[in-house]
Amino acid sequence: MDPRPAVFCDRDGTLIEDRGHLASPDDVRFYPGTMEALRRLAGEFAFFIVTHQPGVADGILSIEAVERVNAHVMSTLAAAGVAIVATYTCPHRRGQGCACIKPNPHFLRLASQQYGIDLARSFVVGDHPHDTELARQAGARGVYVCTGHGWKHLPELPQGEVVVPDIRAAAEWILSLGQLEEQVLGGRSEVVRAGEIVRRGGIVAFPTETVYGLGASAFDRSAVERVFRIKKRPPEDPLIVHLFEAQQARSLVQAFPAEAWKLARRFWPGPLTLVLPKGDAVPDVVTAGLPTVAIRVPNHAVALAFLREAGTPVAAPSANPFGQVSPTTAEHVREQLGREVDLILDGGPCWVGVESTIVSFCGPQPALLRPGGIPTEWIEELIGPLAYPSPYDRIPLAPGRLPRHYAPRTPLVVSSDLRRVPRGKRVGLLCLRRPPEADHFAAVEVLSQSGDLIEAAARLFAALRRLDRCGLDLIVAQPVPEEGLGRAIMDRLRKASRLVCTRPGFEDHPPEGAL
Ligand code: TXA
Ligand code: MG
């Protein structure tokens, strides 16, 4: 049999919650996306778990207890249709000199010999720098997840590591890389065509990890103007310029302050946009005449390959008509703008699901212009406190921050009071977890039954679209905790809610804040 590729998953903090030394199957909590993520990969990859349980060497856990927990994890996954070929445990302490402790590639080599695994086509997914280092030492590719203690170790990661929010995002990242390789090997690379189109002044919708973008060459004034026309976007709202690597920023910015560079090194490729002093080469139409430019390197294999092919920085807003819900699948783009773009690159569903976090380095202090896919907590951990200008603060250099519609057609209110649902109306509910009152609603979208904000963000826009198609009079969105990705979710819900509370029958349903 030909050698197969595999995905080697760390256990705690990657597949299941990291809740200290797990001694009993009763304490196992799977992350909400684990089953779905592994099922998505199951066609192509064999699965292994590689876990470090130093509690055994420290006398806190017995090896039997660890094995019971491992067996429970494997059987639960098997019941969900995911077969784990083997679970490898290192029960030693660092410094004991064992061969099996991460990042030694011992277990991966064993898997390669015993099960015919092709390590060069394999991945290691984990929430510790040892996991990605393990990948490197084994000649595999690493994907770092920010669940568990992942985000705390972010500053220790070497540059260029693939960083994604969770196991679900890791699966999508791996699949997007596979899609790309398939295309390239099949000699029918849409990505090459997309690059040509953009170089010749055309417009391509392309996937990123956040939402789909509508891209034109940033140096082609008339192509950028066409993007504004297609989107019906006011010309005073500038675009983000997308790069395939940070070095490309040289031709675009006048300065790259040290703090901004720190963020770029850590979070690029990723859902972070930096606003920096603009270089002369950037046409005014891109930046709406501002002396600043917004740039980012997206974390999506198809996007990066396309940007490399294009050979030019690509200015792109989200690929939706101005004011409407952002697209998180190629199908969404087809529905809304299908006839107006020259090509839609399909890279599967976006796994972050909310737009990038925007930080400006053009004022006295780094300032958050838009919460998004990188939680502000991670940014502040690296560079200290950000300024949080309110949407009503007059920041002359940030026009896009005025409250504006981001909205489904159906009116939406953000409210935690589900008792005051107007009678005789068809009302839909958008909630994090399903509350007992859900039965009173005509349609219900649950963003994450386990209350996971990463999963909720990834599902937000598609859920809004589905509710919008239900012929409802009103959507009630329950607030989510404003931490991690919750901040971005609440920002989008608030923007979506600006349309409401003026229609007859809803006057008794005051907007958020008044409740
Ligand atoms: O995740 C994302 O950021 C997605 C994907 C496609 O990369 N893009 C996106 O673009 O959300 P868009 O155009 O929907 O939002 C860009 C935001 C706007 O609010 C705009 O005002 C702001 O970025 N922006 C762009 N250039 C700016 C600048 N020079 N100064 C301040 N804000 C800027
Ligand atoms: Mg871990």
Side-chain angles (χ1 to χ4, degrees):
M1 218 171 78
D2 282 347
R4 292 189 293 169
V7 176
F8 295 90
C9 297
D10 168 55
R11 196 191 77 183
D12 305 347
T14 302
L15 297 176
I16 63 176
E17 290 177 19
D18 190 342
R19 312 174 78 215
H21 302 284
L22 280 188
S24 156
D26 295 342
D27 297 329
V28 170
R29 303 276 182 281
F30 278 89
Y31 285 119
T34 297
M35 318 295 180
E36 181 196 333
L38 298 186
R39 261 190 245 121
R40 300 256 301 142
L41 294 169
E44 252 175 277
F45 295 93
F47 297 119
F48 295 84
I49 297 174
V50 185
T51 177
H52 180 210
Q53 299 296 330
V56 177
D58 291 337
I60 302 166
L61 275 177
S62 68
I63 188 75
E64 292 77 19
V66 170
E67 277 167 3
R68 272 197 300 277
V69 170
N70 288 343
H72 173 75
V73 168
M74 288 171 76
S75 63
T76 310
L77 287 171
V82 177
I84 303 291
V85 178
T87 295
Y88 297 116
T89 306
C90 166
H92 309 110
R93 202 184 298 130
R94 206 156 290 286
Q96 282 184 317
C98 68
C100 55
I101 199 164
K102 295 175 190 177
N104 291 338
H106 174 76
F107 286 137
L108 270 62
R109 296 215 173 114
L110 202 63
S112 167
Q113 287 160 12
Q114 290 184 331
Y115 300 101
I117 298 302
D118 179 357
L119 293 179
R121 284 159 57 220
S122 294
F123 295 83
V124 180
V125 181
D127 69 324
H128 194 280
H130 286 144
D131 294 305
T132 48
E133 177 57 23
L134 166 66
R136 193 183 337 278
Q137 294 200 14
R141 284 179 280 203
V143 182
Y144 187 87
V145 290
C146 297
T147 38
H149 295 289
W151 69 273
K152 289 188 199 150
H153 293 294
L154 269 174
E156 301 155 35
L157 274 189
Q159 200 193 340
E161 218 64 271
V162 174
V163 179
V164 297
D166 63 357
I167 180 79
R168 208 179 30 80
E172 297 304 333
W173 194 92
I174 291 169
L175 287 173
S176 77
L177 196 66
Q179 273 180 356
L180 185 68
E181 283 171 358
E182 212 173 277
Q183 276 198 5
V184 173
L185 293 176
R188 51 183 172 79
S189 183
E190 289 281 281
V191 164
V192 173
R193 237 184 91 211
E196 271 167 24
I197 290 174
V198 160
R199 276 199 306 280
R200 292 200 193 133
I203 291 178
V204 170
F206 64 100
T208 79
E209 76 281 37
T210 58
V211 300
Y212 275 69
L214 190 63
S217 162
F219 296 130
D220 187 329
R221 202 176 301 264
S222 67
V224 174
E225 280 166 359
R226 198 176 139 212
V227 168
F228 277 89
R229 278 201 305 277
I230 292 178
K231 250 193 94 100
K232 301 193 174 59
R233 180 173 173 123
E236 59 275 10
D237 196 358
L239 306 185
I240 296 173
V241 179
H242 296 71
L243 316 172
F244 75 84
E245 59 174 9
Q247 308 305 331
Q248 251 189 321
R250 263 176 229 219
S251 60
L252 302 171
V253 303
Q254 248 168 49
F256 214 126
E259 308 262 86
W261 188 239
K262 236 184 186 172
L263 295 183
R265 281 174 65 99
R266 171 52 43 236
F267 298 118
W268 281 356
L272 174 73
T273 294
L274 300 174
V275 174
L276 301 173
K278 157 180 140 38
D280 295 336
V282 185
D284 281 343
V285 55
V286 173
T287 64
L290 293 174
T292 61
V293 62
I295 53 176
R296 92 171 182 104
V297 180
N299 188 14
H300 191 293
V302 174
L304 291 171
F306 155 62
L307 291 168
R308 187 183 290 267
E309 278 298 329
T312 170
V314 169
S318 52
N320 52 293
F322 182 69
Q324 296 187 19
V325 178
S326 297
T328 49
T329 65
E331 192 49 39
H332 294 162
V333 182
R334 242 171 257 132
E335 282 165 14
Q336 287 181 311
L337 298 176
R339 263 176 266 143
E340 293 168 90
V341 301
D342 299 317
L343 179 72
I344 299 174
L345 267 180
D346 192 340
C350 304
W351 55 82
V352 172
V354 289
E355 297 87 345
S356 58
T357 303
I358 306 181
V359 181
S360 167
F361 285 85
C362 298
Q365 185 190 351
L368 180 78
L369 300 189
R370 176 175 77 184
I374 297 282
T376 47
E377 291 91 331
W378 300 359
I379 293 172
E380 296 191 320
E381 171 124 344
L382 222 58
I383 62 164
L386 292 169
Y388 288 77
S390 103
Y392 300 98
D393 284 349
R394 292 179 144 265
I395 313 186
L397 298 187
R401 299 175 54 258
L402 289 173
R404 62 153 200 233
H405 309 156
Y406 230 103
R409 283 183 299 272
T410 316
L412 181 148
V413 283
V414 182
S415 170
S416 47
D417 184 354
L418 303 184
R419 287 163 308 167
R420 285 197 281 165
V421 171
R423 295 205 177 280
K425 303 286 178 194
R426 278 178 60 77
V427 183
L429 175 66
L430 180 73
C431 52
L432 187 58
R433 298 188 177 90
R434 191 181 175 90
E437 298 91 337
D439 294 342
H440 306 310
F441 289 82
V444 180
E445 284 287 339
V446 176
L447 292 177
S448 168
Q449 197 43 49
S450 63
D452 182 83
L453 293 170
I454 296 175
E455 184 183 34
R459 304 182 55 163
L460 177 68
F461 288 148
L464 275 174
R465 273 168 199 270
R466 283 192 295 272
L467 285 173
D468 213 14
R469 280 199 297 262
C470 291
L472 300 166
D473 298 306
L474 177 73
I475 299 170
V476 177
Q478 268 196 314
V480 306
E482 295 211 44
E483 61 196 29
L485 289 190
R487 224 177 251 134
I489 296 175
M490 284 305 290
D491 174 76
R492 305 308 185 268
L493 289 178
R494 288 200 182 96
K495 284 176 176 158
S497 73
R498 305 275 163 199
L499 283 174
V500 298
C501 297
T502 51
R503 289 175 37 157
F506 297 127
E507 289 89 346
D508 61 331
H509 205 118
E512 186 212 43
L515 286 169

